[in-house]
Amino acid sequence: MTHGIAESAVAELPWSPAQFPAGQLTGIAIAPNGDVITLDRGGRQWADHALTTDVDAAVIGTWSPDGSVRRDGPTGQAMFGLPHAITCAGNDLWVTDCGRHQAFRLDAAGEVGCVLGKDRESGDGPDRFGMPTAVAVGADGRIFVTDGYLNARVSVFDPDGIFMYQFGAAGDGDGQFMLPHDLTIDVDETILVADRMNRRLQRFDAEGRHLETIDDAAIGNPFSVATIGNHIIVLDCGFPTEHRAALVIINKDSGRIQRFAESGTPRGLVGPHALAVGPFGIYVADMVLGVRRFELKEGP
């Protein structure tokens, strides 16, 4: 990979300072109309993942693109044990729950449709997860779930939630994972996985065949991944043990990697956990700072 030559630039955009308690904001997604959907832990901490009760608080919020208006929408109240990530798929929402070892599909009214996994039963079989981390839905409706904390795989389901196949195993070889923490589906329907503890990205076709490994120190510890145009957007996060964080931009054509909003710089990120790309910007859910909003500008 090539570094250091200015090819793109990132500018921060306004976001109304909605407050989230430190350590609570973990997920962010973009609705089809550009509204922003946030997910927080409702007062719980990571150590609470073994609790057998659900969060008795609203954990999902819907906001205008600049955060100035809170909309009516699903709340997720008393539904989740330890919510981890949220994804929009059309008008539906997918939420992964590390406390209940499940992934939930919610409609626009917040009603639960499909549920994957067994409630508070971890495992590595086709009908169980071990603290699943994220969901992405393909153009054909296939559901891809990164099953990351206790397992090291991507599980794939048909549009009705019937298990189809899985790929990945624990390790550091091509096609193996050490905490697959997020995934996204690129414009060519290939799957990009943020292989967090291996400090790299991996690309697969829709059948799970390994295509590419993007392994570079500038990527850091990838917590989240998305794409926009010919760029891959990555969140590097070392919080709380490593004082390192950044919004990482990878040009798919040139391979150039650039880091923006680095921790320790003015307006730098601190604990970025999830990102989402929409028509009004790149949105980051930072566990310390709340929502941050950026735009990507092409350089000369």
Side-chain angles (χ1 to χ4, degrees), residues 107-127:
D107 65 17
E111 297 297 323
V112 175
C114 179
V115 180
L116 306 177
K118 297 294 185 182
D119 188 14
R120 293 184 170 87
E121 294 184 21
S122 64
D124 58 6
D127 62 344

Side-chain angles (χ1 to χ4, degrees), residues 187-198:
V187 292
D188 59 0
E189 289 295 303
T190 58
I191 316 300
L192 274 166
V193 178
D195 188 6
R196 177 175 145 184
M197 299 305 291
N198 279 328

Side-chain angles (χ1 to χ4, degrees), residues 52-235:
T52 58
T53 57
D54 292 334
V55 179
D56 188 21
V59 297
I60 299 173
T62 303
W63 311 84
S64 61
D66 65 356
S68 62
V69 178
R70 183 157 188 166
R71 316 275 203 207
D72 292 333
T75 66
Q77 186 166 0
M79 293 178 62
F80 308 115
L82 189 69
H84 186 266
I86 192 165
T87 305
C88 278
N91 291 318
D92 292 333
L93 296 174
W94 278 96
V95 176
T96 51
D97 187 338
C98 286
R100 296 181 67 169
H101 302 289
Q102 292 179 302
F104 298 83
R105 183 173 63 205
L106 281 61
D107 65 17
E111 297 297 323
V112 175
C114 179
V115 180
L116 306 177
K118 297 294 185 182
D119 188 14
R120 293 184 170 87
E121 294 184 21
S122 64
D124 58 6
D127 62 344
R128 283 170 170 77
F129 296 121
M131 304 177 76
T133 51
V135 173
V137 180
D140 62 358
R142 270 186 285 186
I143 304 158
F144 297 81
V145 183
T146 41
D147 189 15
Y149 281 100
L150 301 182
N151 295 317
R153 63 182 179 179
V154 176
S155 294
V156 187
F157 303 82
D158 74 9
D160 295 319
I162 305 302
F163 178 82
M164 297 176 67
Y165 53 92
Q166 67 182 46
F167 58 92
D172 59 7
D174 287 344
Q176 297 179 327
F177 303 117
M178 290 294 288
L179 211 175
H181 197 258
D182 191 23
L183 78 170
T184 192
I185 300 178
D186 210 344
V187 292
D188 59 0
E189 289 295 303
T190 58
I191 316 300
L192 274 166
V193 178
D195 188 6
R196 177 175 145 184
M197 299 305 291
N198 279 328
R199 297 176 180 260
R200 65 187 183 181
L201 305 176
Q202 295 195 71
R203 187 186 297 274
F204 301 84
D205 68 15
E207 307 306 317
R209 290 181 286 262
H210 178 266
L211 301 175
E212 177 187 18
T213 295
I214 305 174
D215 187 356
D216 192 284
I219 294 172
N221 195 17
F223 268 52
S224 190
V225 61
T227 63
I228 178 172
N230 68 331
H231 295 87
I232 301 170
I233 318 296
V234 183
L235 286 183

Side-chain angles (χ1 to χ4, degrees), residues 253-279:
D253 295 329
S254 67
R256 184 171 284 111
I257 300 177
Q258 294 176 269
R259 292 171 61 86
F260 299 93
E262 291 198 74
S263 60
T265 65
R267 302 292 297 167
L269 298 170
V270 177
H273 190 265
L275 69 88
V277 172

